[in-house]
Every structure is written in C-alpha cells, then in structure tokens.
C-alpha cells in the first residue's frame, strides 16, 4: 500500500515538474515579449484589495459642458496652436505607436500621448478606481471631473477674459449648490488641471494677462487641484507627473520594460533634448547646449519650433535609452515632461533647479535626491564655473548602477497605466495621486 502510494506520487511528481517548467518557460517567453499573460497580477506595494475603508471616492456627475462637450469642441473646431483631436483616441492615450517600426520600445503599451490629455486620462482611470461609492457620505474624498486644462487650451489664445473664466465660474456655482459641498466647504473636493498652475492664476482682470483665474476663486481655494507644476506660495495645488508615452495595461508589460532599460547599452555619458530659450536672459539652456555640443560624450537633440525629432516618441526614447545621464534644465517654467520620459528610459536625471522636481513631486520621488539624480546648481553653470562632463564623469560605475536601479524602481509610480485596463496590477501615478489626496483630506478632517 505504502510503496504503491509513493510510486504514484513519484510519477505524479515527475509530470508535475515537467508541467511546471513548461508553464514557466511559456510564461518567461510571454514575459520577455511583454504580453499580459496573467489576469491576477501581483499588486506590490499597495493596500490589501479587500479593504476600501478610508479610500472611498465619490465622483460628481457633472453636466457634459464641464467635460465631454469640451472634447467635442476640440474635435470639431480648429483650435489655434493645437491639433488635439487625436487625444480622444484610446481613452486619452492617443494613437497607438507601431512598435514594430520602433525597435527601441517594448512590444505593447506605447502611444503618441499628448501630455495635455491628462484631464481625460485621469478621469478614465477614476472610472475604474476600485473604491468608488455612490453615497457621498461614505466618501473620504470627492472627485470633480472637470477638464480644466482642456478648457484653458480651448479659450486661451483667441478669447477675452470673460470667455476664458466663464466655465470656471459656472463650475464653482454648480458645485456649491450641491449638498456634497456643505459638510466640509469643499475641502474634501479635488480635480485635475493637466497644465502648470500658472495657467490658472491670472491675478488681475485684464485681457492681455495670461490664463484664467480658476485657482484663485474662493471655492477652488478650498479644493485640491492636481497639476503638472504647483505653486510654491499656495497650498491648494499638488504636482503630479506629466504623462509619458508608456501606458502598460498590466504588470508583466511593465516588468519586461524595466528589464529592458536596466540592461540597455548606454554609449552616451549625457544628453540633452530641447531648445534654447533665447528670449529669457536668465536661462542656462544656451550654456547647457554649448557644453553638450563641445563634448564627445554628449548626444544633443536640438528642438526647433514646429515638428522635429523631439516630437517623435521613438527618437526621444532612443536618445534616453542610450544615455546614462539626462540633462533637465528649466524651460519656460521649472518643470518638464522630459524628466518623466527620460526616467522611464532608465536615464538618471540631472537637475539644475530644486523646483524642477525635488520641490514638486514629493509624493513621487525619494527624499534623498542623490539616490536617483544629480544636482548641479544653475548659478555655477551660468557663471561657467562647472564642467557638466567632469561632474558626471566623477561617478563610479557602481554609483551609476545604483542610481539607475533606483530610477528603474520608480518607473511604475511615474507612469499612468492604461485607463481601459480593469486593474493595471501595479501602483501607478494615478494611485499615488489618489493616495496623496486621501491623506491630505484626512489631515484637514483632523
Ligand atoms: C480647419 O483648418 C483647415 C486647415 O487650416 C481648413 O482646411 C478647415 O476648413 C478648417 N476647419 C474648420 C471647421 O474651420
Ligand atoms: C506596423 O509596421 C509594420 C512594418 O512596417 C507593418 O507591416 C504593419 O502593418 C504596421 N502595423 C500597423 C498597425 O500600422
Ligand atoms: C449613505 O451612508 C450613510 C452613512 O453610512 C447612511 O446613513 C445612508 O443611509 C446612506 N445612504 C444611502 C442612500 O444608502
Ligand atoms: C468677450 O467675447 C465674447 C465673444 O467672444 C463677447 O460676446 C463678449 O461681449 C466679450 N466681452 C467683453 C467684456 O468684451
Ligand atoms: C471654505 O472652507 C471653510 C472652512 O471649512 C468654510 O468656512 C468656507 O465657507 C469655505 N468656503 C466656501 C467658498 O465654501
């Protein structure tokens, strides 16, 4: 009895092992190829999925003039300086990139994403948030799906200030008439405005001044707004990442990309993609470009106005994937989309101003800045006191490896997963933002 049992068990074991290694091989194949092969992906670094307590979000059912009608406008009218009807495709991600033409990318998850589509991407992600409630008294925070960034873009260039401000004023009237406003005077409300905060802080009512006054209204002062770049003088906005081109729909697509950039060959010590700022006397971009051009170890991608390589996702990602350090000097404002594109490529960012990232993305980046980045003070570059090449050459191979590993570890929280995915299976920029808002509202409640 006992011996026949062990015989069965041994042969069972043989088949079991063969079967397992076969599964393992198939899984490894799909993993390398970057497919979604599992529906129940691990969710590392997240709260247990069974508890929504303290995480419920109520979403206001806004009239369509505050969101979908704005998209309709973009679709049907020619709007100056933009060709944004394309971001209506793929839930805001834009057209899928044909990755078979772009060898530097992984097999899926890549889109020609316009960063100004964030309003839409975030709203679509929220529709699949795992802790939504239709009972606002259970909610820890209340989301307002207003497309503030797109509303700005629609009216900024050809319209007077009463047109530019009209929907913002309309919004606060609508919100404050709702029963959900009263319990906290709107201090549990939050929204997304996919631009920098400066577009919403016009401080005087004059047509020739920039932007609208969305974030200066007494009601929105009580709310929290998520923007690409926050104001150092105000507490009603929080900075979240610019969207990149990468939006994996599941964990395995993310991991195969991380593996790829961890081991990609980086023949350039440093690189810069961008344009000089000739109209800004204090800009260091001229010096940065000059130093890059003069070094055999630097790869320069100069961006002119209009279409150039800088607007080709494949060229940009290829540059960052083959470079160890990516220079990120300020542009028109301190922050840049390029910070996120380069970090997604596993390139260690070099900052010249604390407001480019350290003072902005405090929910997203480690407090110990030298773990994942290099800082060179703007003033030293401006005065010609520092050779960027010399500073960067000073890092040992182990130091570089450690910084790059940290950058690659950060990738998931810096990107927006595919909003059409039921669950992307990792904690992404959206999850980090919601967590930040929930903590901030909880603090206000106490
Ligand atoms: C939009 O602009 C294009 C090219 O400038 C023009 O051909 C087209 O008629 C315009 N469409 C509308 C609706 O104004
Ligand atoms: C992608 O590019 C390949 C190679 O040029 C081509 O054969 C294929 O049809 C393209 N796919 C799409 C969806 O455009
Ligand atoms: C909403 O939640 C509150 C608090 O738990 C409860 O008293 C109320 O009955 C709920 N309302 C509905 C419509 O379920
Ligand atoms: C602003 O522009 C709109 C139409 O574009 C016009 O109807 C309105 O009278 C203008 N307002 C002022 C104050 O000029
Ligand atoms: C903002 O919040 C404070 C404190 O809750 C409240 O007294 C005030 O009325 C709110 N403002 C508006 C415009 O609701």
């Amino acid at each position: 009895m006992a011996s026949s049992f062990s015989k069965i068990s041994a042969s069972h074991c043989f088949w079991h092992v063969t079967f397992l290694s076969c599964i393992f091989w198939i899984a490894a194949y799909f993993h390398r190829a970057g497919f979604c092969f599992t529906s129940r992906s691990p969710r590392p670094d997240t709260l247990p999925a069974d508890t929504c307590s303290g995480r419920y979000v109520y979403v206001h059912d806004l009239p369509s003039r505050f969101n979908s009608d704005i998209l309709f406008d973009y679709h049907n009218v020619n709007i100056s300086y933009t060709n944004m009807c394309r971001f209506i495709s793929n839930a805001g991600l834009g057209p899928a990139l044909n990755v078979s033409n772009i060898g530097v990318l992984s097999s899926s998850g890549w889109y020609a994403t316009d960063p100004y589509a964030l309003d839409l991407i975030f709203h679509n992600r929220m529709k699949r948030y795992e802790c939504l409630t239709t009972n606002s008294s259970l909610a820890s925070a209340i989301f307002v799906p207003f497309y503030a960034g797109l509303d700005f873009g629609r009216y900024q260039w050809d319209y007077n200030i009463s047109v530019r401000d009209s929907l913002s004023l309309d919004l606060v009237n609508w919100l404050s008439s709702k029963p959900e406003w009263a319990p906290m005077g709107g201090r549990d409300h939050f929204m997304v405005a996919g631009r920098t905060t400066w577009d919403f802080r016009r401080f005087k009512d004059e047509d020739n001044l920039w932007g609208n006054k969305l974030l200066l209204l007494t009601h929105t002062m009580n709310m929290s707004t998520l923007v690409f770049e926050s104001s150092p003088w105000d507490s009603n906005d929080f900075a979240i990442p610019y969207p990149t081109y990468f939006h994996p729909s599941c964990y395995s697509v993310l991991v195969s990309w991380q593996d790829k950039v961890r081991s990609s060959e980086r023949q350039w010590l440093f690189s810069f993609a961008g344009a000089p700022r000739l109209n800004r006397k204090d800009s260091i971009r001229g010096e940065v470009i000059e130093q890059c051009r003069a070094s055999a170890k630097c790869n320069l991608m100069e961006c002119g106005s209009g279409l150039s390589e800088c607007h080709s996702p494949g060229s940009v990602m290829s540059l960052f994937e083959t470079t160890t350090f990516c220079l990120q000097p300020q542009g028109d404002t301190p922050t840049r989309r390029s910070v996120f594109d380069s970090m997604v490529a596993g390139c260690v960012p070099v900052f010249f101003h604390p407001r480019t990232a350290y003072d902005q993305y405090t929910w997203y980046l480690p407090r110990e800045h030298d773990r994942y980045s290099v800082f060179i003070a703007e003033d030293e570059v401006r005065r010609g006191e520092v050779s960027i090449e010399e500073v960067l050459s000073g890092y040992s191979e182990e130091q570089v490896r450690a910084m790059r590993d940290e950058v690659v570890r950060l990738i998931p929280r810096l990107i927006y997963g595919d909003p059409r995915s039921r669950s992307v299976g990792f904690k992404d920029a959206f999850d980090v933002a919601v967590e930040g808002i929930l903590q901030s509202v909880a603090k206000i409640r106490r």
Side-chain angles (χ1 to χ4, degrees):
M1 179 79 186
S3 89
S4 90
F5 177 81
S6 68
K7 217 151 104 194
I8 289 167
S9 148
S11 94
H12 176 84
C13 180
F14 171 76
W15 285 111
H16 195 64
V17 166
T18 313
F19 177 72
L20 272 184
S21 71
C22 178
I23 290 287
F24 177 81
W25 186 86
I26 293 170
Y29 172 79
F30 281 104
H31 174 82
R32 267 200 311 278
F35 291 113
C36 296
F37 62 87
T38 163
S39 56
R40 281 177 49 82
S41 313
R43 285 184 66 91
D45 202 17
T46 46
L47 295 165
D50 59 303
T51 167
C52 279
S53 159
R55 299 200 297 141
Y56 281 112
V57 171
Y58 173 86
V59 179
H60 262 307
D61 187 15
L62 290 185
S64 61
R65 65 180 182 279
F66 293 113
N67 45 46
S68 53
D69 287 359
I70 300 177
L71 292 179
F72 191 72
D73 250 18
Y74 274 98
H75 199 58
N76 289 289
V77 181
N78 281 341
I79 291 181
S80 333
Y81 306 106
T82 52
N83 172 22
M84 295 206 276
C85 51
R86 65 180 196 168
F87 57 47
I88 292 165
S89 53
N90 294 314
L93 303 182
L97 295 173
N98 188 343
V99 291
S100 52
N101 291 338
I102 309 174
V104 295
L105 306 179
S106 49
S107 66
S108 68
W110 293 88
Y111 299 83
T113 305
D114 189 318
Y116 298 131
L118 180 67
D119 298 352
L120 183 58
I121 296 170
F122 200 97
H123 184 200
N124 284 326
R125 276 287 274 117
M126 184 60 84
K127 287 175 184 166
R128 303 216 159 183
Y129 176 59
E130 68 263 34
C131 299
L132 293 177
T133 177
T134 51
N135 182 343
S136 66
S137 52
L138 294 176
S140 296
I142 294 178
F143 180 60
V144 179
F146 172 43
Y147 294 172
L150 297 178
D151 178 52
F152 168 95
R154 178 169 65 152
Y155 291 137
Q156 169 57 30
W157 287 276
D158 295 321
Y159 297 85
N160 61 35
I161 50 172
S162 53
V163 174
R164 280 187 252 153
D165 291 337
S166 62
L167 205 57
S168 303
L169 297 166
D170 189 358
L171 178 77
V172 296
N173 276 336
W174 190 90
L175 285 175
S176 56
S177 72
K178 292 287 154 187
E180 290 81 17
W181 185 265
M184 290 188 71
R187 297 203 300 162
D188 52 356
H189 284 46
F190 71 107
M191 62 181 171
V192 173
R195 300 190 71 94
T196 70
T197 199
W198 314 115
D199 292 341
F200 310 101
R201 294 185 180 277
R202 196 196 63 241
F203 62 98
K204 264 198 286 188
D205 284 347
E206 289 170 18
D207 281 333
N208 61 343
L209 293 179
W210 182 260
N212 64 37
K213 56 183 183 188
L214 173 67
L215 296 186
L216 295 178
L217 303 173
T218 51
H219 291 84
T220 56
M221 299 270 220
N222 273 10
M223 297 170 57
S224 304
T225 300
L226 303 168
V227 288
F228 295 150
E229 180 175 324
S230 62
S231 158
W233 303 287
D234 300 276
S235 55
N236 63 335
D237 57 13
F238 298 94
I240 64 173
Y242 287 78
T244 65
Y245 301 115
F246 188 39
H247 309 279
S249 57
C250 64
Y251 185 63
S252 53
V253 168
L254 165 72
V255 171
S256 79
W257 173 254
Q258 285 176 301
D259 289 347
K260 181 173 158 64
V261 292
R262 216 178 267 120
S263 58
S264 86
E265 203 177 306
R266 297 177 189 267
Q267 68 256 40
W268 302 99
L269 177 66
F270 59 125
S271 73
F272 175 65
R277 286 291 183 278
L278 303 172
N279 56 337
R280 296 179 74 105
K281 262 206 343 257
D282 59 337
S283 173
I284 60 160
R285 287 211 177 183
E287 284 87 345
V288 167
I289 289 171
E290 238 165 74
Q291 287 205 24
C292 184
R293 196 179 277 129
S295 166
K297 295 179 178 174
C298 189
N299 193 356
L300 180 64
M301 183 184 278
E302 272 200 273
C303 309
S305 53
L307 286 182
S308 70
E309 265 190 310
C310 302
H311 300 276
S312 152
S315 309
V316 169
M317 294 310 290
S318 158
L319 176 75
F320 296 152
E321 264 178 82
T322 52
T323 303
T324 299
F325 294 103
C326 289
L327 309 183
Q328 303 295 356
Q330 304 190 61
D332 297 325
T333 72
T335 63
R336 304 185 74 199
R337 172 197 179 144
S338 174
V339 169
F340 299 95
D341 288 332
S342 63
M343 289 179 77
V344 163
C347 190
V348 175
V350 180
F351 296 118
F352 301 86
H353 196 290
R355 284 205 357 238
T356 300
Y358 304 153
D359 296 352
Q360 294 288 343
Y361 308 104
T362 52
W363 291 347
Y364 291 88
L365 299 172
R367 217 184 285 269
E368 306 82 32
H369 306 135
D370 49 5
R371 266 173 52 194
Y372 70 94
S373 70
V374 171
F375 186 79
I376 300 175
E378 254 187 8
D379 277 346
E380 292 175 24
V381 177
R382 202 173 282 126
R383 291 196 298 260
E385 291 171 359
V386 65
S387 153
I388 296 169
E389 180 179 332
E390 249 174 63
V391 173
L392 300 179
S393 302
Y395 286 89
S396 71
E397 224 168 278
E398 296 83 75
Q399 284 173 314
V400 167
R401 162 65 52 191
M403 284 193 278
R404 181 181 311 135
D405 282 349
E406 182 67 7
V407 168
V408 173
R409 196 186 64 78
L410 291 168
I411 291 175
R413 54 199 290 120
L414 302 180
I415 61 178
Y416 297 88
D418 190 328
R420 296 162 300 180
S421 188
R422 189 147 295 286
S423 161
V424 290
F426 60 90
K427 186 168 172 174
D428 75 346
F430 168 88
D431 292 316
V432 175
V434 171
E435 192 180 279
I437 288 291
L438 290 169
Q439 281 172 8
S440 157
V441 173
K443 218 158 98 192
I444 294 170
R445 266 183 227 278
R446 286 197 296 270

